[in-house]
Amino acid sequence: MKVVKIVLFVLCVFIAFVLGSQNPQSVQVNYLIASAQLPLAALISVCFVIGLLVGCFVSFRVFSKLKWQNYRLQRRNTKLARDSNNDIGPEPATDKDG
């Protein structure tokens, strides 16, 4: 797993280098109340980072909900297993005097 992370990191750095070297043009970015002149590579990088952060936030919310649901279900399963083990006991003695 650690190797995969390193490979992905190196791949992202390589892609960023390629984008930066192939897009040196300046572009004008208009905000709601202002505008700025930025290199295209910087604009692409900023949009990528914003998308990455939004994706991480959404994934964190989804995974935290699933982990909480898993925790509750495991507790419920443990309680049901404990209750079913308590219900199973020695059979009651029957009187066979007949």
Side-chain angles (χ1 to χ4, degrees):
M1 190 69 173
K2 193 172 187 177
V3 174
V4 173
K5 288 180 183 179
I6 292 171
V7 169
L8 286 175
F9 177 75
V10 169
L11 185 65
C12 285
V13 169
F14 178 73
I15 290 172
F17 177 74
V18 169
L19 285 175
S21 65
Q22 295 297 318
N23 295 300
Q25 303 91 347
S26 282
V27 293
Q28 184 171 356
V29 180
N30 296 316
Y31 306 112
L32 292 175
I33 57 174
S35 65
Q37 195 79 12
L38 294 172
L40 185 58
L43 182 64
I44 291 172
S45 298
V46 168
C47 289
F48 177 76
V49 168
I50 290 172
L52 186 70
L53 292 175
V54 169
C56 287
F57 177 73
V58 169
S59 295
F60 176 75
R61 289 201 55 190
V62 169
F63 284 125
S64 64
K65 284 182 183 180
L66 289 174
K67 281 186 175 190
W68 179 246
Q69 182 182 12
N70 187 22
Y71 171 73
R72 285 191 323 237
L73 290 173
Q74 283 180 346
R75 280 189 49 203
R76 185 175 175 194
N77 190 21
T78 304
K79 183 179 177 184
L80 288 173
R82 193 176 337 114
D83 289 345
S84 68
N85 286 339
N86 289 340
D87 290 344
I88 301 173
E91 292 189 21
T94 56
D95 194 18
K96 294 185 181 182
D97 286 339

